[in-house]
Amino acid sequence: MALSDNTKGETYQGHAANEVPTVSIPRPKTEDHGDLGRAMIHGEYESLKAIHAVSPIFGPEPYGWGKYDGSDVYFLVAEFREVGEQPPNPVKFTKRLAEMHKKSQSPTGKFGFHVKTCHARIQQMTDCWEDSWATLYRKQLALMVELDEAKHGEWPEFKVACQLILDKVIPRLLEPLQSNGRSIKPCLIHGNLWDENTATDMATGEPFIYDGGSFYGHNEYEIGNWRAARHRLSAAPYVKGYLREYRASEPGTAVLIPCNQRQILVKPTFPSNAGLRRALTYSDGEEEEEDETQQNESEDEDEDEDAATSNPYGLDIDEKWDDGDNDRRNLGVTGVAAPR
């Protein structure tokens, strides 16, 4: 049965099309953006395929994708699942997400993906393979900077700030993950995991995800999108639930580099369609939404800016949690490593 992004509650919901359905029969998901539409649909098909292969319960099975004759419209056909609660139960959802990250295996043992995938309508730097997570992430962020400048023009001061992040901050925060005998696993990640790309299957009660822009990356990248306080996934039960299932990578203490700072670093790669500088220069409470669906939601919310920026996960910054291995950590640490 087909999946449609046009029928909330009857099929899985995406946010590419704006038409309101007049019938209840699910239709294929479509994109009419020429080469971009092809990349979006092909990337989502390969993302669903990879997720379903690791966790059939967590990801709908994709059946095929293609192009309508005589047009630039591309379509995706996949298993039908009726959307229930969004986001799903935090205990079930974070358990499934962590299981997918743990069970997945990069086919090359490296970070990247075999095709280009998209974050909404933004093409990502995923169709390459890198031994270093810092290297792949730098390519990803550099592409966002390039796309922003192409759309909005050059802003010299902003360009300097971005270059400092690329040349100084990324090596300082990410290279220690794979140095001094430490290593991290390339995990299959969804790539755009916000509230309405998650749902509860009405038939089974199990959580599932869709509308992905997947690649093999550091698992902590997955929850970078949750830093925005507008997302219900930023609530403590989701963040703490995930970190209990998949403990933060080392270095992760006040003496070295905390997970929290790595999350701040990856947040700019979840930009609005308006461009990267919105994600870098606006607070979590002010940032534009990724698409019209999220933008409409934000208009109904009055976020507390100070709370959003100082404590984006909604956690007591002095609160400690038990990861099940008698290793208690302070989630609010802000220390950094000494210059290398």
Side-chain angles (χ1 to χ4, degrees):
M1 189 173 290
L3 286 173
S4 167
D5 63 347
N6 305 328
T7 319
K8 183 175 180 178
E10 296 171 348
T11 66
Y12 87 69
Q13 180 198 7
H15 50 262
N18 297 320
E19 63 181 286
V20 177
T22 57
V23 295
S24 60
I25 300 174
R27 290 167 292 173
K29 177 171 182 176
T30 62
E31 282 294 346
D32 185 8
H33 297 289
D35 290 341
L36 174 59
R38 185 185 192 282
M40 292 172 68
I41 291 296
H42 185 206
E44 183 173 350
Y45 170 81
E46 295 294 340
S47 298
L48 277 176
K49 184 178 177 181
I51 292 170
H52 181 78
V54 175
S55 181
I57 293 176
F58 203 44
E61 180 180 5
Y63 298 139
W65 72 283
K67 179 180 179 181
Y68 286 112
D69 290 340
S71 75
D72 288 328
V73 177
Y74 291 84
F75 64 88
L76 167 67
V77 180
E79 172 191 358
F80 173 81
R81 296 191 187 183
E82 186 174 2
V83 169
E85 182 182 10
Q86 293 180 288
N89 174 277
V91 175
K92 287 185 176 181
F93 174 70
T94 56
K95 184 177 180 64
R96 291 291 185 195
L97 181 61
E99 284 178 350
M100 182 185 79
H101 290 160
K102 291 176 181 178
K103 290 172 60 178
S104 61
Q105 295 291 333
S106 167
T108 65
K110 299 181 180 182
F111 300 94
F113 207 54
H114 60 288
V115 299
K116 187 179 293 294
T117 61
C118 298
H119 182 99
R121 293 178 176 86
I122 300 174
Q123 297 189 55
Q124 304 182 110
M125 179 63 70
T126 55
D127 54 338
C128 59
W129 296 104
E130 298 291 347
D131 292 311
S132 165
W133 167 237
T135 299
L136 180 64
Y137 181 73
R138 189 187 189 284
K139 287 184 175 182
Q140 184 83 293
L141 187 57
L143 176 62
M144 296 297 117
V145 173
E146 179 183 327
L147 293 174
D148 181 88
E149 184 172 313
K151 184 169 185 176
H152 297 284
E154 185 174 347
W155 178 5
E157 295 82 1
F158 181 76
K159 191 170 184 177
V160 169
C162 289
Q163 201 62 46
L164 285 172
I165 294 174
L166 294 171
D167 295 341
K168 303 294 184 180
V169 179
I170 289 177
R172 184 170 180 175
L173 292 186
L174 298 188
E175 286 183 359
L177 291 166
Q178 294 176 278
S179 64
N180 296 326
R182 289 183 291 264
S183 64
I184 54 175
K185 171 192 170 186
C187 298
L188 177 64
I189 60 176
H190 175 279
N192 186 14
L193 208 53
W194 69 289
D195 302 340
E196 295 202 17
N197 284 347
T198 70
T200 303
D201 188 332
M202 291 290 287
T204 66
E206 290 291 333
F208 70 100
I209 56 178
Y210 49 88
D211 208 9
S214 295
F215 59 95
Y216 292 90
H218 185 205
N219 69 293
E220 289 177 6
Y221 179 94
E222 191 83 278
I223 63 174
N225 208 18
W226 301 3
R227 291 198 64 84
R230 67 180 181 271
H231 292 322
R232 296 187 293 278
L233 287 173
S234 70
Y238 292 97
V239 179
K240 292 175 67 178
Y242 179 80
L243 292 176
R244 284 194 175 110
E245 296 288 341
Y246 204 136
R247 56 187 292 176
S249 298
E250 295 289 354
T253 66
V255 178
L256 294 171
I257 301 172
C259 168
N260 190 49
Q261 289 192 339
R262 292 194 294 265
Q263 291 302 304
I264 294 172
L265 173 63
V266 301
K267 181 174 176 280
T269 50
F270 296 98
S272 68
N273 287 335
L276 173 70
R277 62 190 63 177
R278 297 288 300 184
L280 287 175
T281 59
Y282 280 70
S283 74
D284 287 328
E286 294 176 322
E287 183 184 338
E288 283 190 342
E289 306 297 342
E290 295 170 358
D291 52 45
E292 293 181 2
T293 302
Q294 290 174 277
Q295 188 171 18
N296 292 336
E297 281 193 350
S298 70
E299 292 173 354
D300 298 331
E301 299 176 358
D302 182 16
E303 302 290 358
D304 183 331
E305 179 179 343
D306 292 335
T309 55
S310 63
N311 191 11
Y313 284 143
L315 298 174
D316 180 349
I317 60 174
D318 294 321
E319 184 179 5
K320 295 181 179 180
W321 58 279
D322 186 357
D323 65 8
D325 195 29
N326 297 318
D327 178 16
R328 304 184 70 82
R329 297 160 183 251
N330 189 325
L331 293 181
V333 296
T334 57
V336 297
R340 300 176 61 81

